[in-house]
Amino acid sequence: MTKMLNAGILGASGYTGAELIRLLDQHPHVALRALGAHSNAGQAAQAVFPHLPDDIPMLQKLEDMPLADLDVLFAGLPHGTTGNILPELLQQYPGLRIIDLSADFRLDDPNIYQEAYDAPHPAPEMLGEGIYGLSEIYADSIADARLVACPGCYCTAANLSLIPLLQNKLIQSQDIIIDAKSGTSGAGRAAKTNLLFTEVNQGLNAYSIGKHRHMWEIEQELGKAAGATLKVSFTPHLVPINRGILSTSYVHLAEGKTVNDLHIALQEFYAEAAFVRVLELEQSPKTQNVFGSNNTEIALFPDRIEGRAIILCAIDNLLKGASGQAVQNMNIMFNFPETTGLNRIALYP
Amino acid sequence: MTKMLNAGILGASGYTGAELIRLLDQHPHVALRALGAHSNAGQAAQAVFPHLPDDIPMLQKLEDMPLADLDVLFAGLPHGTTGNILPELLQQYPGLRIIDLSADFRLDDPNIYQEAYDAPHPAPEMLGEGIYGLSEIYADSIADARLVACPGCYCTAANLSLIPLLQNKLIQSQDIIIDAKSGTSGAGRAAKTNLLFTEVNQGLNAYSIGKHRHMWEIEQELGKAAGATLKVSFTPHLVPINRGILSTSYVHLAEGKTVNDLHIALQEFYAEAAFVRVLELEQSPKTQNVFGSNNTEIALFPDRIEGRAIILCAIDNLLKGASGQAVQNMNIMFNFPETTGLNRIALYP
Amino acid sequence: MTKMLNAGILGASGYTGAELIRLLDQHPHVALRALGAHSNAGQAAQAVFPHLPDDIPMLQKLEDMPLADLDVLFAGLPHGTTGNILPELLQQYPGLRIIDLSADFRLDDPNIYQEAYDAPHPAPEMLGEGIYGLSEIYADSIADARLVACPGCYCTAANLSLIPLLQNKLIQSQDIIIDAKSGTSGAGRAAKTNLLFTEVNQGLNAYSIGKHRHMWEIEQELGKAAGATLKVSFTPHLVPINRGILSTSYVHLAEGKTVNDLHIALQEFYAEAAFVRVLELEQSPKTQNVFGSNNTEIALFPDRIEGRAIILCAIDNLLKGASGQAVQNMNIMFNFPETTGLNRIALYP
Amino acid sequence: MTKMLNAGILGASGYTGAELIRLLDQHPHVALRALGAHSNAGQAAQAVFPHLPDDIPMLQKLEDMPLADLDVLFAGLPHGTTGNILPELLQQYPGLRIIDLSADFRLDDPNIYQEAYDAPHPAPEMLGEGIYGLSEIYADSIADARLVACPGCYCTAANLSLIPLLQNKLIQSQDIIIDAKSGTSGAGRAAKTNLLFTEVNQGLNAYSIGKHRHMWEIEQELGKAAGATLKVSFTPHLVPINRGILSTSYVHLAEGKTVNDLHIALQEFYAEAAFVRVLELEQSPKTQNVFGSNNTEIALFPDRIEGRAIILCAIDNLLKGASGQAVQNMNIMFNFPETTGLNRIALYP
């Protein structure tokens, strides 16, 4: 019989925390042992999330958590805070492996962190220590990692759909335009006027144009794939749905390449990927099709402007874009089948 | 190792069918072997529901399904049709057990069926053969049944919350008012103008007032619990959500009884029920808390009018109100733990 | 040519304030002269509500508003505050007439105010000075009033549909059950976690059961109509729409009366009412049909339980339930046709 | 006193028809005299749209409409049909002026019509007779026109925001990428499975990529502005809102031009436009801000990729994108102030 992993979550009172609780609770090889929260410490998990059963561990302060007993810790803390805390934990608990959902260990370059987060990196000596947790791309390194830095939600959608094309020199690395649309759970659970139901419902808008923090992370990973520094145009939009990201990317084909070449390359790249479905050419993805699952839909269309292609990608931002990918990475790290405990069929409708 | 059940679904191209596919696919002891559909026969399941994986069985005509190989068949056919088909299948395939989601075997009395469905019952000799599949009430009979008739969605919400009170003579059986609100998936997937997004979104209305078909089914079961014939006032409302039913019931306390008595009785009644949570007195249930799960939330409030109480119940209409309860019944029938393969934590948010 | 009224709004930075701005801006006989706001004073209206044009007056502190120049002041301040401020304004500016949207002058009895608002009334000597602004019922008194207290949104829906029946002794005054459903704009624009899009969307719940503040106001007005003290059972629900209230009321017919009698009485009562449509018997109202208009739909159904009837009422909570009725009252007070400046056709879809 | 215009509507049973009824009903100088409908002829308008008052004209067949008495006819018929009917009407009723909302007279070139609509143009000899009804661009010609062809909804958003920039040679005419998002009312009221509430709600998808019919119309008008043939990349998306279009356009700056140059040019171009607001540089538009109004918000952002800019435009697709612009054109044609009868403040929230 498989040994049960002892797991904990830091930052359990946010949406990614709630989603991790759900996933770890249904995972056959995990015992959820401890939940960390700051302002809600001392409360039952159910007090913060009434949909949770009453046998879920209480929320505790970090210092009260039984970290020495844990095999794996998921960290859903704010950026900045994360960089201060995790290095110490890694040192103090040599048996602990950490799967981080914050931004602090995603970027390699402290200058770019400074640009993106408008603050110095809290632990620059640690940069490069974390493995970037885009499961389909870095599975080999993730398997052995002590610290995995799960990608941002927008980055997962953009990068999964573009990396194979850049690696294979099928599209040009310059002039990539990414128009992304997201549901509101990505904005978190803090009470803000602009996130009220009445303000979001029935509406649609772009935000953080040209300065969203995920832009730098997209550029880092696409740059690695292309083997060259690059800049992308990235425009996120807020859409009145709870979950779901759709990225629509506009690219130039590489000299002599066709949309068919791209399609074949994507199909081959993801032939064995349990959670990525490359749709038929000119079939349109829907976020509905991945809602509540860890799935990714990638689609490819010729553009009316010659020499261009349009690449779409749909994920559930709380699953493949956050907590689902985190659990997928845990499966890789602990040598479980990658799909264990993860829904492969969307909740529809 | 547990033997795998071979399962099939009739009427797989509706929403309850899609939900059954999802649940059976993730059930550890079930092999989904055959999907029946009428007009869509011959198509891949994915052609009808693009969110499904491509390894799901094709849609077939009933006559092409390998019924002799099945242990259990879920029937999601329209009422009327069901009554014609199932008796024959039961006779022809002695090893087959059927879990029906239609209305044809829920009612005991052919006259009431005629009144509710405005047509003679297609197989009156079979009435009484099916076991009413309200899992928490009829588990013992369900365990041995060959034919289980799963309750309607509204009925599940109303009856789970009121039966224990009537059985224990804690509320009066007369003058029960049930004001219910439902998401739109209960109305099915047929293309109708009044179910278009633009028509439903941003709105709210009552429908089928005083003549909704679930009314008779509610009365039958509440009547059994009360040991007396009774009539209820039942008003369903359509709310712009995909999934979820909230029933708000207004009742008279029985002579000398208090709201506390009712609360204690409900807590005791459901003390061992895996999928029913009786909330603290005056705590309000939310459909969000059961969304995507097989859970039920029941709550109790004193009314401002003396001698009255208000009882609320929230379920996901496609899960506890349909496909989830059907799988729960399958677990009971085949002696699996009742919760096997069923989500116990809602998808939130 | 009609003289233009000079109008001002106190509490302009809430949703009812924004709606008043829209209505007064499109009113042919009103010049919107001053907007009062507390924490936002000094800002352009557009800074608070970006949808507003830039020629709308700036937000000012009360003491900076040109109150002496105003003919009419709409007050959308919180209860408690209102009762402290308005009496003074009435005394200081003898030419000013005030249309209050708060709760402070709706109730006649300071003890009931204390019970409902859990605080002593701020100006008990003024109780009874305000005219209750349910336009269709109190038009004659409103015409001459200096202070009109516009009803709560739930109260407007419940009372418009029940007052004619109680006045005419067609229904019993006891055991009235009002199950009401509202969109979220009624909860205001303050940043609260439970009103976030992600928390409200896709869900449904009851709240403030048996203690919502509008309950006492409903009882006061229904009591007057019935000529007797009465208690109602009132349960509000939150529904994921921006605007709209639907009240579903369950009543006992008076001895010897039929649903037809009620229907005829309602039709006669509202025969001349520009904003109230009594639907055909057993035709169901929809909040969609009144969205964005000052209209009211009232409908009547026989109940399955003999001797009972079901009465439904749909309004837009920000219009007939608040700002629209306030402007309707202004029209009555200043002798304009009642419909001036008010949309009579819903924005559909 | 202004003479009242006698107006009629063909195709009154669709969403644009309902919106025209609302606008013409509230227009101070219009008498709505006749409504044409095909399959619903003989019914009251209220039977088709229950939110309408009962004094709206009945639906009639075209041949029963009093066309000789009308000054202006709005045509909301399907493309193809329109081209067959309107030329005859113009000839038969010399006093009649027609405002067409279909696509049949928008395109100048029959070959392009054939390409876009996959059918020969029904009246190629009439091409060029209609004036393209983009009010802010063609007001002078519209004033004298007998036949105005109102633009498609996507075209209005894209073209209003890009034409001034192309006319002034501030952006390059090649490689324009338009990523547009629309609410579902643009898809009409026909009962289709993919437009059901349960299918659209909570989701997001692109459609008709590279072949949406509005693409050719956008190209025609942008081409005129640029003085050169051009091709655009146009990708529409479906978003779960009733009303609203947001277009996000990605363009190359012309040699030596800056984003500031573009911003100044837009501000100057629309300085006198009653319904177009050019936002401050880097201020983001929201469809919420134009919901229920005839307004347009245009915004401009520098792109992270040098030499590029991002231009956004928000409209209500049923108002500025259809019926509102049609009424605006009527005002221009009949010499009323352009804003007469049109809401200038959005319905918010």
PDB file of all heavy atoms in Angstrom, chain B residues 5-20:
ATOM      1  N   LEU B   5     -17.768  -2.849 -11.754  1.00  0.00           N
ATOM      2  CA  LEU B   5     -19.128  -2.915 -12.296  1.00  0.00           C
ATOM      3  C   LEU B   5     -19.117  -2.443 -13.735  1.00  0.00           C
ATOM      4  O   LEU B   5     -18.496  -1.440 -14.056  1.00  0.00           O
ATOM      5  CB  LEU B   5     -20.049  -1.963 -11.547  1.00  0.00           C
ATOM      6  CG  LEU B   5     -20.532  -2.314 -10.164  1.00  0.00           C
ATOM      7  CD1 LEU B   5     -21.556  -1.274  -9.740  1.00  0.00           C
ATOM      8  CD2 LEU B   5     -21.165  -3.699 -10.159  1.00  0.00           C
ATOM      9  N   ASN B   6     -19.862  -3.123 -14.572  1.00  0.00           N
ATOM     10  CA  ASN B   6     -20.066  -2.628 -15.931  1.00  0.00           C
ATOM     11  C   ASN B   6     -21.337  -1.791 -15.958  1.00  0.00           C
ATOM     12  O   ASN B   6     -22.416  -2.278 -15.607  1.00  0.00           O
ATOM     13  CB  ASN B   6     -20.191  -3.803 -16.904  1.00  0.00           C
ATOM     14  CG  ASN B   6     -18.858  -4.519 -17.044  1.00  0.00           C
ATOM     15  OD1 ASN B   6     -17.831  -3.873 -17.252  1.00  0.00           O
ATOM     16  ND2 ASN B   6     -18.880  -5.843 -16.901  1.00  0.00           N
ATOM     17  N   ALA B   7     -21.171  -0.549 -16.363  1.00  0.00           N
ATOM     18  CA  ALA B   7     -22.298   0.377 -16.302  1.00  0.00           C
ATOM     19  C   ALA B   7     -22.617   0.963 -17.661  1.00  0.00           C
ATOM     20  O   ALA B   7     -21.740   1.124 -18.512  1.00  0.00           O
ATOM     21  CB  ALA B   7     -21.993   1.505 -15.327  1.00  0.00           C
ATOM     22  N   GLY B   8     -23.880   1.280 -17.850  1.00  0.00           N
ATOM     23  CA  GLY B   8     -24.325   1.965 -19.064  1.00  0.00           C
ATOM     24  C   GLY B   8     -25.257   3.104 -18.713  1.00  0.00           C
ATOM     25  O   GLY B   8     -25.780   3.180 -17.596  1.00  0.00           O
ATOM     26  N   ILE B   9     -25.442   3.990 -19.663  1.00  0.00           N
ATOM     27  CA  ILE B   9     -26.336   5.140 -19.476  1.00  0.00           C
ATOM     28  C   ILE B   9     -27.252   5.246 -20.683  1.00  0.00           C
ATOM     29  O   ILE B   9     -26.788   5.260 -21.830  1.00  0.00           O
ATOM     30  CB  ILE B   9     -25.533   6.464 -19.348  1.00  0.00           C
ATOM     31  CG1 ILE B   9     -24.542   6.397 -18.188  1.00  0.00           C
ATOM     32  CG2 ILE B   9     -26.473   7.655 -19.178  1.00  0.00           C
ATOM     33  CD1 ILE B   9     -23.582   7.575 -18.115  1.00  0.00           C
ATOM     34  N   LEU B  10     -28.533   5.327 -20.439  1.00  0.00           N
ATOM     35  CA  LEU B  10     -29.500   5.654 -21.495  1.00  0.00           C
ATOM     36  C   LEU B  10     -29.825   7.144 -21.405  1.00  0.00           C
ATOM     37  O   LEU B  10     -30.090   7.652 -20.313  1.00  0.00           O
ATOM     38  CB  LEU B  10     -30.809   4.884 -21.299  1.00  0.00           C
ATOM     39  CG  LEU B  10     -30.827   3.404 -21.625  1.00  0.00           C
ATOM     40  CD1 LEU B  10     -32.253   2.867 -21.415  1.00  0.00           C
ATOM     41  CD2 LEU B  10     -30.394   3.177 -23.067  1.00  0.00           C
ATOM     42  N   GLY B  11     -29.863   7.806 -22.529  1.00  0.00           N
ATOM     43  CA  GLY B  11     -30.164   9.240 -22.500  1.00  0.00           C
ATOM     44  C   GLY B  11     -28.932  10.034 -22.118  1.00  0.00           C
ATOM     45  O   GLY B  11     -28.981  10.930 -21.275  1.00  0.00           O
ATOM     46  N   ALA B  12     -27.819   9.694 -22.761  1.00  0.00           N
ATOM     47  CA  ALA B  12     -26.540  10.246 -22.338  1.00  0.00           C
ATOM     48  C   ALA B  12     -26.291  11.643 -22.874  1.00  0.00           C
ATOM     49  O   ALA B  12     -25.324  12.287 -22.491  1.00  0.00           O
ATOM     50  CB  ALA B  12     -25.409   9.326 -22.783  1.00  0.00           C
ATOM     51  N   SER B  13     -27.149  12.138 -23.741  1.00  0.00           N
ATOM     52  CA  SER B  13     -26.841  13.435 -24.357  1.00  0.00           C
ATOM     53  C   SER B  13     -27.500  14.616 -23.646  1.00  0.00           C
ATOM     54  O   SER B  13     -27.448  15.739 -24.136  1.00  0.00           O
ATOM     55  CB  SER B  13     -27.222  13.418 -25.841  1.00  0.00           C
ATOM     56  OG  SER B  13     -28.568  13.039 -25.988  1.00  0.00           O
ATOM     57  N   GLY B  14     -28.104  14.368 -22.490  1.00  0.00           N
ATOM     58  CA  GLY B  14     -28.642  15.472 -21.690  1.00  0.00           C
ATOM     59  C   GLY B  14     -27.678  15.849 -20.574  1.00  0.00           C
ATOM     60  O   GLY B  14     -26.614  15.252 -20.425  1.00  0.00           O
ATOM     61  N   TYR B  15     -28.054  16.840 -19.786  1.00  0.00           N
ATOM     62  CA  TYR B  15     -27.162  17.304 -18.713  1.00  0.00           C
ATOM     63  C   TYR B  15     -26.988  16.252 -17.616  1.00  0.00           C
ATOM     64  O   TYR B  15     -25.911  16.095 -17.066  1.00  0.00           O
ATOM     65  CB  TYR B  15     -27.681  18.608 -18.097  1.00  0.00           C
ATOM     66  CG  TYR B  15     -27.530  19.802 -18.994  1.00  0.00           C
ATOM     67  CD1 TYR B  15     -28.529  20.760 -19.082  1.00  0.00           C
ATOM     68  CD2 TYR B  15     -26.382  19.993 -19.756  1.00  0.00           C
ATOM     69  CE1 TYR B  15     -28.392  21.880 -19.895  1.00  0.00           C
ATOM     70  CE2 TYR B  15     -26.242  21.102 -20.581  1.00  0.00           C
ATOM     71  CZ  TYR B  15     -27.248  22.049 -20.643  1.00  0.00           C
ATOM     72  OH  TYR B  15     -27.102  23.147 -21.445  1.00  0.00           O
ATOM     73  N   THR B  16     -28.062  15.532 -17.274  1.00  0.00           N
ATOM     74  CA  THR B  16     -27.896  14.493 -16.255  1.00  0.00           C
ATOM     75  C   THR B  16     -27.024  13.367 -16.806  1.00  0.00           C
ATOM     76  O   THR B  16     -26.251  12.757 -16.070  1.00  0.00           O
ATOM     77  CB  THR B  16     -29.245  13.916 -15.787  1.00  0.00           C
ATOM     78  OG1 THR B  16     -29.996  13.507 -16.931  1.00  0.00           O
ATOM     79  CG2 THR B  16     -30.052  14.942 -15.010  1.00  0.00           C
ATOM     80  N   GLY B  17     -27.129  13.123 -18.110  1.00  0.00           N
ATOM     81  CA  GLY B  17     -26.266  12.123 -18.725  1.00  0.00           C
ATOM     82  C   GLY B  17     -24.799  12.527 -18.644  1.00  0.00           C
ATOM     83  O   GLY B  17     -23.936  11.723 -18.266  1.00  0.00           O
ATOM     84  N   ALA B  18     -24.511  13.772 -18.983  1.00  0.00           N
ATOM     85  CA  ALA B  18     -23.126  14.247 -18.930  1.00  0.00           C
ATOM     86  C   ALA B  18     -22.581  14.147 -17.504  1.00  0.00           C
ATOM     87  O   ALA B  18     -21.420  13.792 -17.283  1.00  0.00           O
ATOM     88  CB  ALA B  18     -23.047  15.682 -19.427  1.00  0.00           C
ATOM     89  N   GLU B  19     -23.436  14.466 -16.548  1.00  0.00           N
ATOM     90  CA  GLU B  19     -22.993  14.425 -15.158  1.00  0.00           C
ATOM     91  C   GLU B  19     -22.748  12.977 -14.710  1.00  0.00           C
ATOM     92  O   GLU B  19     -21.796  12.692 -13.973  1.00  0.00           O
ATOM     93  CB  GLU B  19     -24.058  15.099 -14.275  1.00  0.00           C
ATOM     94  CG  GLU B  19     -23.636  15.366 -12.866  1.00  0.00           C
ATOM     95  CD  GLU B  19     -22.551  16.430 -12.740  1.00  0.00           C
ATOM     96  OE1 GLU B  19     -21.890  16.746 -13.737  1.00  0.00           O
ATOM     97  OE2 GLU B  19     -22.357  16.915 -11.609  1.00  0.00           O
ATOM     98  N   LEU B  20     -23.577  12.066 -15.182  1.00  0.00           N
ATOM     99  CA  LEU B  20     -23.353  10.643 -14.879  1.00  0.00           C
ATOM    100  C   LEU B  20     -22.035  10.164 -15.484  1.00  0.00           C
ATOM    101  O   LEU B  20     -21.280   9.432 -14.844  1.00  0.00           O
ATOM    102  CB  LEU B  20     -24.511   9.796 -15.418  1.00  0.00           C
ATOM    103  CG  LEU B  20     -25.772   9.785 -14.553  1.00  0.00           C
ATOM    104  CD1 LEU B  20     -26.930   9.163 -15.324  1.00  0.00           C
ATOM    105  CD2 LEU B  20     -25.538   9.026 -13.238  1.00  0.00           C
TER     106      LEU B  20
END
